[in-house]
Amino acid sequence: MQIGPYSLPAPVIVAPMAGVSDQPFRQLCLRMGAGMAVSEMMSANPDTWDTDKSLKRMYLADEPGIRAVQIVGAEPEWMADAARRSVTEGAQIVDINMGCPAKKINRRLAGSALLQDPALVREILQTVVAAVDVPVTLKIRTGWDTEHRNGVEIAEIAESCGVQALTVHGRTRACLFNGQAEYDTIRAIKQHISIPVIANGDIDTPQKAQAVLEYTGADAIMIGRAAQGQPWLFQRIRHFLMHGSDLPSPAWDEVRTIVLEHVAALHQFYGEYKGVRFARKHVAWYLERYESAKHFRRGFNALTSAEEQLDALELFFSNAIA
């Protein structure tokens, strides 16, 4: 798939997930077969740009692959400024969030709340596209609620404004993450616009990835929650799309290497205090599929130093492999 001048090596993209898609996670997923990874969303409010959280989210130094940064907000000029700042920091693609269903985002009339105001959507997109010389992409939901599924209308606005790719999560804002994603709207959007369309929502196996691509006609898929604790899913999907066969799940020794490297990277990126706390949720995701790890996970969450975490993981995996 092509986004402006950038050709993705695989049609599988890491979703921008707040508190998850930081640089260590993005780099890991890229090593494990993802074709592109989009950063956590950055607020367009300039008062937040120099906070530690925003600086970490904008950190793109030594980033492999295509550098894509997502911005969120409702003020066209602030969004344009955020796009410029992202490009200054090294972004090669600027993605606009109009899909986040979180109340704290929607209360500011940002994220998926913007789907209720097509005129403002047009103004934001026109302003951001004119502000930067890199491709601008957009992520949306199918509409505000099931009675107001206006995904096709928003998609046509996006294309007319110069947006160069569109990601669609197959739920409305009212659905949050409940129920099952629907792909009929994504299929209809693909039939109405000519820019690349990326399908998102409930894609958690290689077989589901292929089925969604075939049904919707989408150019690529985006994986979010399903990659938490199994970043090798990108490799499995990529292999299945290319060869039609599935790869086996990684063995315990492979999982050990992935988890230890990921946890060490979190410690290094955030520093020991925050890194230890971020590591807890990732380790919980990695091990939640293993009944034998339930007791270990409770003890792991009580550890307070990087050394303790790494030593505990080494011992756990050594025992599991044995």
Side-chain angles (χ1 to χ4, degrees):
M1 190 185 80
Q2 197 82 13
I3 301 179
Y6 302 109
S7 180
L8 275 65
V12 192
I13 300 169
V14 186
M17 296 176 282
V20 180
S21 301
D22 52 22
Q23 190 181 66
F25 186 75
R26 295 196 303 272
Q27 291 186 346
L28 173 59
C29 292
L30 289 168
R31 290 200 307 272
M32 304 235 63
M36 186 173 78
V38 185
S39 78
E40 302 172 81
M41 63 183 179
M42 183 186 81
S43 172
N45 182 348
D47 292 340
T48 68
W49 290 355
D50 293 320
T51 64
D52 182 64
K53 180 184 287 188
S54 291
L55 291 172
K56 289 293 186 188
R57 290 183 173 184
M58 285 188 283
Y59 188 80
L60 298 170
D62 303 318
E63 187 99 354
I66 303 164
R67 299 188 296 275
V69 170
Q70 188 181 76
I71 58 175
V72 62
E75 297 285 340
E77 288 304 327
W78 276 11
M79 290 288 279
D81 288 342
R84 294 188 193 98
R85 171 68 180 264
S86 298
V87 173
T88 298
E89 296 294 333
Q92 296 169 310
I93 292 174
V94 173
D95 186 60
I96 296 176
N97 182 315
M98 294 189 185
C100 179
K103 288 183 179 179
K104 67 178 181 180
I105 299 296
N106 288 181
R107 276 198 297 266
R108 304 184 193 116
L109 300 181
S112 56
L114 286 166
L115 301 176
Q116 301 172 99
D117 192 343
L120 181 55
V121 167
R122 182 181 296 277
E123 185 180 358
I124 290 171
L125 296 180
Q126 288 175 333
T127 304
V128 174
V129 169
V132 292
D133 294 327
V134 304
V136 174
T137 61
L138 175 65
K139 188 171 191 289
I140 66 170
R141 287 189 166 225
T142 57
W144 177 252
D145 56 33
T146 53
E147 287 72 42
H148 301 89
R149 278 202 178 103
N150 62 342
V152 172
E153 177 189 7
I154 299 298
E156 291 177 334
I157 290 171
E159 183 173 39
S160 71
C161 292
V163 167
Q164 297 196 38
L166 176 71
T167 300
V168 187
H169 183 113
R171 288 181 173 87
T172 67
R173 189 274 166 187
C175 294
L176 300 177
F177 292 99
N178 301 318
Q180 295 183 333
E182 59 91 8
Y183 306 109
D184 291 336
T185 304
I186 301 176
R187 183 178 185 174
I189 288 170
K190 178 59 184 173
Q191 293 170 349
H192 279 81
I193 62 175
S194 59
I195 60 174
V197 172
I198 302 155
N200 175 226
D202 292 354
I203 302 170
D204 54 5
T205 67
Q207 293 78 8
K208 184 70 173 287
Q210 184 178 57
V212 170
L213 285 171
E214 290 177 352
Y215 181 76
T216 63
D219 302 274
I221 56 170
M222 179 174 281
I223 307 292
R225 292 172 295 161
Q228 294 172 358
Q230 52 170 356
W232 47 84
L233 179 60
F234 296 99
Q235 192 175 56
R236 290 181 57 207
I237 290 174
R238 185 171 180 170
H239 185 273
F240 191 86
L241 295 178
M242 291 177 63
H243 305 289
S245 60
D246 201 356
L247 292 172
S249 297
W252 272 113
D253 58 339
E254 296 175 89
V255 176
R256 173 174 64 181
T257 299
I258 293 166
V259 173
L260 286 169
E261 288 182 354
H262 189 184
V263 169
L266 290 168
H267 295 158
Q268 182 175 7
F269 185 70
Y270 288 106
E272 183 166 29
Y273 180 80
K274 288 187 177 180
V276 162
R277 282 148 183 81
F278 274 90
R280 289 171 183 164
K281 64 182 176 184
H282 284 281
V283 168
W285 287 327
Y286 279 117
L287 301 182
E288 67 182 354
R289 297 167 183 82
Y290 306 106
E291 184 65 26
S292 61
K294 185 181 295 185
H295 178 72
F296 171 81
R297 280 160 38 204
R298 286 196 294 268
F300 186 83
N301 288 338
L303 302 178
T304 58
S305 77
E307 184 178 6
E308 286 177 328
Q309 285 191 335
L310 293 172
D311 287 346
L313 286 167
E314 283 279 14
L315 180 60
F316 170 79
F317 281 109
S318 294
N319 291 334
I321 293 168

